[in-house]
């Protein structure tokens, strides 16, 4: 068997590394710690990696813009698809070099998503410290070890990786935050349906067409497909130009999903299929009786019969 090389947002000690460990523990030692999300995805495009694991969204702070942007960067024909997802419970510690006290912290570094989830704690305990964004929480911890900053907000495990001390632990403003990571592969078949699947799409609607967003939503509603996520993001083409990121609770192999995609393709300016894959929570998402494959087959057969008699 050939080995799989996974690129992930590094360096060692990130939450993304935890996601790789959860996804494929046997592959973590050979994984490549990329310096940024775009670099991890580019390694996949350049065939230097067989898979990439990147943060996608967080239950408190929402989506990770760097990931969404990097995913749209290709021409759509690069074969990069989401083939899996992993949920990681995140918890944050304030890490310092041995000997540094809380009072001695003037600069604190972290990933913007980690700052956003520890905002109240930092405002209360380090109101005067300068907050410096870094490419990841572990990069911030590494930079503290190198003497670049006084403290880092990072995963507890990053302290061990970089020989730092824990000045404070469990500093998240909200308990139980979960981050969703996606597993990307290139040129691989869509994973088979499991009964608990998701499809991720990006749709560009015609801007000046009244009702265009409603028309997009109807493609799913009339086919009995639940949407678990809908987010508008600027296309970068100008103010007021948006694309819609959609997570739909159905698999490409299902008739209702194929019909919805056909409808989107007919009515939208552009549609990108980013993948159908098993949900991390394994929650079953069955089609309602009027929209399952049997209902479509029965209705189609009826239409066929109309033409014959
Ligand atoms: O920086 C990290 O460790 C990451 O993996 C990205 C991230 C940052 C904050 C919360 C969840 C994921």
């Amino acid at each position: 068997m050939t080995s799989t090389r996974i690129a992930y947002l590094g360096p060692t000690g990130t939450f993304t590394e935890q996601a790789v460990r959860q996804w494929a523990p046997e592959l973590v030692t050979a994984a490549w710690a990329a310096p940024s999300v775009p670099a991890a995805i580019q390694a996949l495009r350049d065939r230097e990696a067989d898979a990439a694991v990147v943060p996608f969204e967080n239950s408190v702070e929402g989506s990770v813009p760097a990931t969404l942007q990097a995913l749209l960067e290709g021409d759509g024909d690069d074969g990069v698809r989401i083939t899996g997802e992993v949920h990681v419970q995140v918890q944050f510690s304030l890490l310092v070099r041995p000997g540094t006290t809380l009072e001695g912290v003037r600069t604190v570094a972290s990933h913007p998503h980690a700052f956003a989830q520890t905002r109240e704690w930092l405002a209360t305990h380090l109101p005067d410290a300068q907050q410096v964004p870094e490419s990841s929480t572990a990069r911030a911890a590494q930079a503290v070890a190198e003497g670049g900053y006084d403290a880092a907000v990072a995963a507890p495990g990053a302290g061990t990786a970089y020989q730092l001390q824990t000045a404070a632990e469990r500093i998240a403003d909200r308990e139980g935050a979960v981050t969703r990571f996606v597993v990307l592969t290139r040129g691989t078949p869509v994973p088979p349906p499991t009964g608990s699947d998701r499809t991720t799409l990006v749709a560009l609607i015609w801007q000046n067409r009244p009702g265009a967003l409603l028309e997009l939503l109807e493609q799913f509603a009339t086919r009995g497909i639940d949407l678990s996520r809908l987010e508008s993001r600027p296309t970068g083409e100008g103010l007021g130009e948006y694309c819609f990121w959609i997570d739909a609770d159905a698999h490409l192999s299902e008739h209702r999903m194929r019909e919805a995609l056909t409808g989107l393709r007919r009515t939208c300016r552009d549609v990108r299929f980013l993948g159908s894959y098993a949900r991390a929570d394994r929650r079953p998402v069955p089609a309602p009786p009027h929209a399952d494959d049997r209902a479509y087959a029965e209705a189609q057969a009826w239409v066929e019969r109309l033409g014959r008699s």
Side-chain angles (χ1 to χ4, degrees), residues 5-83:
R5 293 158 306 161
I6 298 189
Y8 71 96
L9 172 64
T12 192
T14 57
F15 292 106
T16 314
E17 188 184 45
Q18 289 182 32
V20 175
R21 193 167 286 121
Q22 252 173 258
W23 177 254
E26 72 285 3
L27 298 179
V28 82
T29 46
W32 178 58
S36 66
V37 166
I41 297 177
Q42 197 54 44
L44 184 62
R45 290 200 174 108
D46 294 344
R47 294 159 200 269
E48 285 158 11
D50 308 305
V53 177
V54 289
F56 192 80
E57 63 166 335
N58 180 272
S59 61
V60 177
E61 189 50 18
S63 60
V64 180
T67 301
L68 304 192
Q69 209 175 319
L71 279 172
L72 285 191
E73 232 124 66
D75 55 7
D77 281 338
D78 58 7
V80 171
R81 297 266 171 83
I82 304 175
T83 43

Side-chain angles (χ1 to χ4, degrees), residues 114-127:
F115 279 137
Q117 291 174 67
T118 53
R119 201 173 281 136
E120 285 166 28
W121 191 94
L122 291 170
T124 309
H125 296 91
L126 292 173

Side-chain angles (χ1 to χ4, degrees), residues 2-288:
T2 55
S3 63
T4 307
R5 293 158 306 161
I6 298 189
Y8 71 96
L9 172 64
T12 192
T14 57
F15 292 106
T16 314
E17 188 184 45
Q18 289 182 32
V20 175
R21 193 167 286 121
Q22 252 173 258
W23 177 254
E26 72 285 3
L27 298 179
V28 82
T29 46
W32 178 58
S36 66
V37 166
I41 297 177
Q42 197 54 44
L44 184 62
R45 290 200 174 108
D46 294 344
R47 294 159 200 269
E48 285 158 11
D50 308 305
V53 177
V54 289
F56 192 80
E57 63 166 335
N58 180 272
S59 61
V60 177
E61 189 50 18
S63 60
V64 180
T67 301
L68 304 192
Q69 209 175 319
L71 279 172
L72 285 191
E73 232 124 66
D75 55 7
D77 281 338
D78 58 7
V80 171
R81 297 266 171 83
I82 304 175
T83 43
E85 67 170 15
V86 189
H87 292 176
V88 175
Q89 295 254 2
V90 292
Q91 191 46 262
F92 302 98
S93 292
L94 187 80
L95 305 175
V96 294
R97 283 182 302 280
T100 306
T101 58
L102 214 49
E103 294 68 43
V105 174
R106 300 273 172 276
T107 51
V108 52
S110 198
H111 186 278
H113 264 235
F115 279 137
Q117 291 174 67
T118 53
R119 201 173 281 136
E120 285 166 28
W121 191 94
L122 291 170
T124 309
H125 296 91
L126 292 173
D128 300 322
Q130 186 197 351
Q131 295 179 11
V132 188
E134 272 290 352
S135 52
S136 74
T137 54
R139 173 60 209 140
Q142 192 181 47
V144 170
E146 292 163 357
Y149 311 109
D150 299 322
V153 175
T160 320
Y162 300 103
Q163 283 103 49
L164 296 175
Q165 270 179 0
T166 305
E169 55 189 353
R170 305 188 83 80
I171 64 171
D173 298 332
R174 287 181 68 142
E175 276 288 321
V178 175
T179 298
R180 176 182 166 211
F181 296 82
V182 290
V183 181
L184 304 166
T185 54
R186 175 191 25 82
T188 50
V190 171
T194 64
S196 171
D197 303 292
R198 231 195 263 288
T199 294
T200 300
L201 306 166
V202 186
L204 210 60
I205 59 175
W206 295 103
Q207 287 300 328
N208 298 321
R209 189 149 117 198
L213 177 58
L214 182 61
E215 200 172 33
L216 176 142
L217 295 175
E218 275 171 352
Q219 304 303 330
F220 299 98
T222 57
R223 278 124 190 161
I225 300 175
D226 206 16
L227 299 187
S228 48
R229 182 165 171 273
L230 175 68
E231 180 178 354
S232 64
R233 305 252 336 143
T235 60
E237 288 171 13
L239 265 185
E241 298 285 332
Y242 292 99
C243 58
F244 291 88
W245 281 77
I246 298 160
D247 279 345
D249 280 355
H251 190 276
L252 177 67
S253 65
E254 289 178 79
H255 204 121
R256 56 179 179 150
M257 192 67 222
R258 301 179 93 88
E259 290 276 329
L261 280 166
T262 310
L264 290 174
R265 177 81 181 179
R266 282 190 293 103
T267 54
C268 291
R269 209 177 110 200
D270 196 12
V271 186
R272 288 273 285 268
F273 171 78
L274 287 182
S276 286
Y277 50 94
R279 294 167 61 106
D281 62 9
R282 302 290 182 262
R283 183 168 70 76
V285 287

